[in-house]
Amino acid sequence: MGRMGAKDPSTSSLAEPQPVKPALLSVSNADLDSWFAEHRAEPYRLRQVMSWVGRGAGSFDEMRDIPQALRAELDAAFRVSSLRPIARSDADSGLTTKTLYELDGGHTVEAVVMRYTDRSTLCISSQAGCPVGCPFCATGKFPFGRNLRANEIEEQAVASAALLAAEGRRLSHVVFMGMGEPFVNYAAVIDSVRRMSDPGRLGISPRRIVLSTSGIIPRVEQLVSEKLPVTLAVSLHAARDELRDVLVPINRKYPVRDLVAAAQGYATASGRRVSYEWVMLDGVNNTERDAHELGALLKGKLAHVNLIPFNPVDDTPYHAPSRNSINRFKEALVAAGLNVTVRDTRGREADAACGQLHERWARAGGRAERFGDPGGSDSGEATSSAVSALSDA
Ligand code: SAH
Ligand code: SF4
């Protein structure tokens, strides 16, 4: 029996399928230069178009300072973005916005915008699903889909910058803490960091970009040679192999001591302190023993520990510890000489919940919070895409 909403090829239109136009940001600079030259447009026109894209223009028609004829030619050749927003959810009285995007091919990914007084941060996805499969993580629960292309990562940032610009805000920070393991998709992630930090594009300083990894050691080492001053975050969650093998299964290949040595190699080379993430799981990694082991592992290192209260995920055996227990753990680390912060509730809800809008959307059959048309009658297509994205994955 076919999947809900899957089209039967024998009954589909006889017309040839329309070739999908490339998204503008998927085309190399050299190819764009050639295209503009072939269409008798001065190079500054390309810069103008890119500036509109960077400001989040939804169509070529909005690019008012581009001649009408060129806009029509651009529209015939390219799409402004390859991402289709299909669900949106606000939290924290509107300070947090999660958007679910459908990618070419039907997979879906989430991006989360968090607004603070002095900055606006985007939590971005690098893969549809994640092959690492940590047992406490919503993303790790559904089957791996695919790597995102650099333009698909950049397009999440562009769309978020546009959302914020409409409110008079600027996208200032990007954290790769959405769906996926960025270092399994290393080349596209690094490419996207270079693009996002390009002053002709979004111009976000690499210093304000955080790459969070579960610990792919060769890629941590490779990062040193990129000479990109990004912040490295390492999802530690346990300081001994026996426990980390379970919580972060990639540890079986890349053990925790070697990982910390590689991460500190980056700290030494870049002069930037490494942020170690520790999701607090009650009775699992918040004991005195854990605090003692973590203190011993990181003492004297250019490091910072970020304690993340566990954000509940259905069908997992884990629970968040009480506030008191989190504070006790924090104090034990401070006493051991570490720099420690506890991520605030909002951060927890937004950062750690990546993967959960996707899950909620799929469980609701794709009808909840449909983007732009809550409960509308034409929701079938988006519904089937989200559901088949899951079944295809
Ligand atoms: N794959 C990368 C980046 C995405 S996950 C990584 O693991 O680092 C971003 C952070 O959210 C990681 O530290 C991850 O362990 C944490 N996280 C995942 N699920 C969570 C949950 N349910 N509650 C709290 N933190 C979670
Ligand atoms: Fe993947 Fe990170 Fe989730 Fe682990 S925590 S499954 S590495 S996204």
Side-chain angles (χ1 to χ4, degrees), residues 142-223:
F142 47 85
F144 176 61
R146 69 164 171 86
N147 280 335
L148 266 61
R149 303 178 188 104
N151 66 288
E152 293 170 325
I153 300 171
E154 186 185 12
E155 285 167 353
Q156 294 171 61
V158 165
S160 306
L163 178 75
L164 289 164
E167 305 163 10
R169 285 174 171 269
R170 193 172 176 278
L171 175 62
S172 58
H173 293 70
V174 173
V175 297
F176 280 77
M177 292 191 179
M179 296 163 72
E181 167 47 57
F183 283 3
V184 171
N185 186 18
Y186 184 83
V189 164
I190 296 298
D191 190 7
S192 74
V193 170
R194 293 196 197 282
R195 288 154 172 250
M196 290 188 287
S197 53
D198 182 336
R201 294 183 171 216
L202 290 175
I204 300 167
S205 160
R207 290 171 198 282
R208 295 176 164 189
I209 297 179
V210 179
L211 295 184
S212 177
T213 182
S214 55
I216 317 292
I217 292 180
R219 301 288 88 80
V220 173
E221 290 168 348
Q222 194 172 347
L223 187 63

Side-chain angles (χ1 to χ4, degrees), residues 136-137 176-178 180-181 212-213 235 237 277 279 310-311 313 352:
F136 54 84
C137 171
F176 280 77
M177 292 191 179
E181 167 47 57
S212 177
T213 182
S235 294
H237 311 323
E277 312 289 302
V279 58
F310 173 61
N311 198 41
V313 177

Side-chain angles (χ1 to χ4, degrees), residues 234-254:
V234 171
S235 294
L236 209 54
H237 311 323
R240 61 179 183 279
D241 285 325
E242 173 203 354
L243 177 58
R244 198 166 187 274
D245 281 351
V246 175
L247 296 181
V248 190
I250 197 80
N251 192 74
R252 292 174 212 155
K253 187 161 185 192
Y254 300 118

Side-chain angles (χ1 to χ4, degrees), residues 286-297:
N286 66 336
T287 65
E288 263 180 55
R289 176 185 176 190
D290 292 294
H292 178 76
E293 287 173 350
L294 179 56
L297 187 65

Side-chain angles (χ1 to χ4, degrees), residues 55-293:
R55 280 176 279 150
S59 70
F60 291 108
D61 225 31
E62 288 170 37
M63 304 181 181
R64 289 184 300 275
D65 52 5
I66 305 294
Q68 173 66 47
L70 183 57
R71 278 190 254 163
E73 287 176 314
L74 282 161
D75 192 48
F78 304 108
R79 287 177 291 167
V80 174
S81 174
S82 70
L83 302 181
R84 284 169 298 285
I86 56 172
R88 181 159 282 172
S89 146
D90 282 322
D92 308 311
S93 316
L95 292 176
T96 303
T97 306
K98 298 183 211 173
T99 309
L100 185 69
Y101 293 101
E102 185 179 29
L103 308 173
D104 286 344
H107 291 296
T108 56
V109 292
E110 286 177 33
V112 183
V113 169
M114 292 161 279
R115 300 164 184 84
Y116 301 88
T117 34
D118 57 339
R119 68 202 153 93
S120 299
T121 301
L122 169 66
C123 179
I124 207 167
S125 292
S126 58
Q127 299 183 306
C130 178
V132 176
C134 305
F136 54 84
C137 171
T139 304
K141 276 176 48 192
F142 47 85
F144 176 61
R146 69 164 171 86
N147 280 335
L148 266 61
R149 303 178 188 104
N151 66 288
E152 293 170 325
I153 300 171
E154 186 185 12
E155 285 167 353
Q156 294 171 61
V158 165
S160 306
L163 178 75
L164 289 164
E167 305 163 10
R169 285 174 171 269
R170 193 172 176 278
L171 175 62
S172 58
H173 293 70
V174 173
V175 297
F176 280 77
M177 292 191 179
M179 296 163 72
E181 167 47 57
F183 283 3
V184 171
N185 186 18
Y186 184 83
V189 164
I190 296 298
D191 190 7
S192 74
V193 170
R194 293 196 197 282
R195 288 154 172 250
M196 290 188 287
S197 53
D198 182 336
R201 294 183 171 216
L202 290 175
I204 300 167
S205 160
R207 290 171 198 282
R208 295 176 164 189
I209 297 179
V210 179
L211 295 184
S212 177
T213 182
S214 55
I216 317 292
I217 292 180
R219 301 288 88 80
V220 173
E221 290 168 348
Q222 194 172 347
L223 187 63
V224 173
S225 62
E226 304 290 347
K227 305 264 184 288
L228 263 180
V230 290
T231 298
L232 177 65
V234 171
S235 294
L236 209 54
H237 311 323
R240 61 179 183 279
D241 285 325
E242 173 203 354
L243 177 58
R244 198 166 187 274
D245 281 351
V246 175
L247 296 181
V248 190
I250 197 80
N251 192 74
R252 292 174 212 155
K253 187 161 185 192
Y254 300 118
V256 66
R257 278 179 191 285
D258 298 349
L259 172 59
V260 171
Q264 291 310 126
Y266 180 74
T268 307
S270 65
R272 303 181 62 72
R273 94 187 163 169
V274 173
S275 176
Y276 289 93
E277 312 289 302
W278 192 279
V279 58
M280 302 288 299
L281 305 171
D282 197 30
V284 175
N285 67 354
N286 66 336
T287 65
E288 263 180 55
R289 176 185 176 190
D290 292 294
H292 178 76
E293 287 173 350

